[in-house]
Amino acid sequence: MVVRLARLAPPLECVRLYDLEAGLDGFIAIHSTTLGPGAGGCRLWSYPDMRHALGDAMRLAEGMSYKNALAGLPLGGAKAVLRRPEGEFDRVALFRAFGRAVENLGGLYVTAEDVGTSVADMQEVASVSRHVAGLPSAEGRAGGDPSPWTAKGVFESMRVAAEFALGRDLAGLTVAVQGTGNVGADLCRRLADAGANLVIADPDPARRDRLSAILGAKVVDVDAIAGVDADIFAPCALGGALNPETVGKLKARLVCGAANNQLATPDIAALLLERGIAYAPDYVVNAGGIINVSAEYLGEDAADVELRVAAIAPRVAALLERAAREGRSPAVVADEMAEEVIAGAERVAA
């Protein structure tokens, strides 16, 4: 069953997904299609209830609109969130049901991997829908798992942000990484290669400890990671990592990580500014994945992805410099810049 809900708040539209037999239960939130079809990954997570799932979908979709706009992509913003069934479930049936829902939207939404989903899941979606990326790539073409591109963009952004905020390169700095999934682990490997010292935390002890053994990273509990003695804090797990409590504990002078929606509430941006903590806005630094997804969907090659991902760090540097010059939070400045891009496209369309 696919139920289209009333428009929640302009320009947001939300589609309710439900198929009891397939185990499908979730939402597709479409925030904007001004620049192109709404694009954003599909997240599979154990939400406590559908209210939380809907809220996550709406926040993530808005973030994708801003991310795609600042990355210069011909895409709007959208996101799918699916509630993970309890116990054993038929993954193929679930993602084929999801794929049929995506196809029913007729290109209004383009999906790909996100937290809890994989290339294999997107292949099941692709068996019933054309509007999917993150598939195995042909030689020289864009495609495949987008997480390495996300990690690359975050790493290069962190390098320029450290030069700006701390006046030095990453070598010898201590980075506290919250979350060691695909992107977080890749980022840790890049940081270790650059000579940084790592402190890591993850709710999956086996995953965390494997990475620690390889890289020699110090391990702390998830609840302690924000307050460790570090130069940089890198949230790479789920959203909301920055709240009044965690910001109050931070010893790091720079926050730069891969997680979406790092600010629990918008006013956290002002709190970081007040404490003199530099913040590289999440949707600017983590755009590498959607850049790869966009190139794949548009039939571009890996060289196009390289060029666009290489532009992320200079964009972050310019954003941090502008925010400092104006005495404002980089989060506020980034939002304004993205809104200007979308508004400009709306004026052209009118």
Side-chain angles (χ1 to χ4, degrees):
M1 181 176 68
V2 179
V3 180
R4 188 175 295 245
L5 303 181
R7 199 170 284 272
L8 299 176
L12 184 68
E13 183 175 5
C14 193
V15 177
R16 178 75 164 95
L17 310 174
Y18 186 74
D19 185 326
L20 179 62
E21 185 176 351
L24 177 67
D25 194 11
F27 298 94
I28 297 172
I30 301 169
H31 179 263
S32 173
T33 55
T34 299
L35 298 173
C42 172
R43 176 168 295 190
L44 181 67
W45 194 251
S46 299
Y47 292 98
D49 53 52
M50 296 314 294
R51 180 177 63 85
H52 284 83
L54 176 59
D56 204 22
M58 292 168 63
R59 285 188 295 271
L60 290 165
E62 180 181 56
M64 291 306 304
S65 289
Y66 285 43
K67 180 187 299 189
N68 294 338
L70 279 189
L73 301 178
L75 299 170
K79 203 78 171 186
V81 301
L82 309 180
R83 193 178 186 189
R84 184 183 179 90
E86 294 183 8
E88 297 295 323
F89 65 96
D90 187 336
R91 202 171 182 105
V92 170
L94 189 154
F95 281 99
R96 287 188 179 176
F98 170 65
R100 289 191 290 272
V102 171
E103 184 65 18
N104 286 343
L105 290 173
L108 197 62
Y109 169 57
V110 179
T111 195
E113 295 97 324
D114 196 72
V115 174
T117 60
S118 67
V119 172
D121 296 327
M122 294 307 108
Q123 288 179 292
E124 297 302 336
V125 174
S127 71
V128 293
S129 178
R130 299 162 293 162
H131 308 293
V132 56
L135 304 172
S137 58
E139 184 66 30
R141 308 300 290 177
D145 180 4
S147 63
W149 293 107
T150 303
K152 180 177 175 62
V154 175
F155 172 75
E156 296 297 342
S157 296
M158 189 181 294
R159 187 192 295 276
V160 299
E163 290 282 2
F164 173 84
L166 306 172
R168 53 181 293 188
D169 196 12
L170 294 171
L173 294 180
T174 299
V175 185
V177 180
Q178 180 191 48
T180 58
N182 289 342
V183 176
D186 193 321
L187 176 63
C188 285
R189 286 188 283 269
R190 293 172 189 270
L191 288 167
D193 288 344
N197 304 308
L198 294 171
V199 183
I200 62 174
D202 193 287
D204 183 337
R207 181 170 69 181
R208 175 202 66 195
D209 292 346
R210 280 195 302 270
L211 190 66
S212 173
I214 294 169
L215 302 180
K218 178 182 177 181
V219 170
V220 299
D221 291 338
V222 172
D223 292 343
I225 189 69
V228 301
D229 191 6
D231 301 291
I232 303 170
F233 177 51
C236 296
L238 296 182
L242 298 171
N243 57 48
E245 181 181 0
T246 55
V247 172
K249 293 178 180 177
L250 282 178
K251 296 182 176 67
R253 309 316 300 168
L254 168 64
V255 175
C256 179
N260 289 307
N261 297 335
Q262 292 172 21
L263 306 181
T265 55
D267 59 302
I268 300 299
L271 186 57
L272 288 167
L273 184 65
E274 183 180 301
R275 288 208 57 208
I277 299 170
Y279 173 59
D282 47 46
Y283 63 78
V284 184
V285 308
N286 69 12
I290 193 63
I291 287 171
N292 184 63
V293 165
S294 171
E296 178 185 351
Y297 192 67
L298 297 172
E300 297 175 342
D301 59 30
D304 295 308
V305 181
E306 285 279 4
L307 285 172
R308 288 203 182 102
V309 172
I312 293 174
R315 188 178 298 122
V316 170
L319 170 62
L320 292 174
E321 289 166 4
R322 174 179 164 182
R325 187 169 61 250
E326 297 175 1
R328 298 194 297 157
S329 167
V332 174
V333 174
D335 284 356
E336 289 180 0
M337 291 169 64
E339 288 160 4
E340 288 166 5
V341 172
I342 296 171
E346 288 173 344
R347 287 193 294 271
V348 171

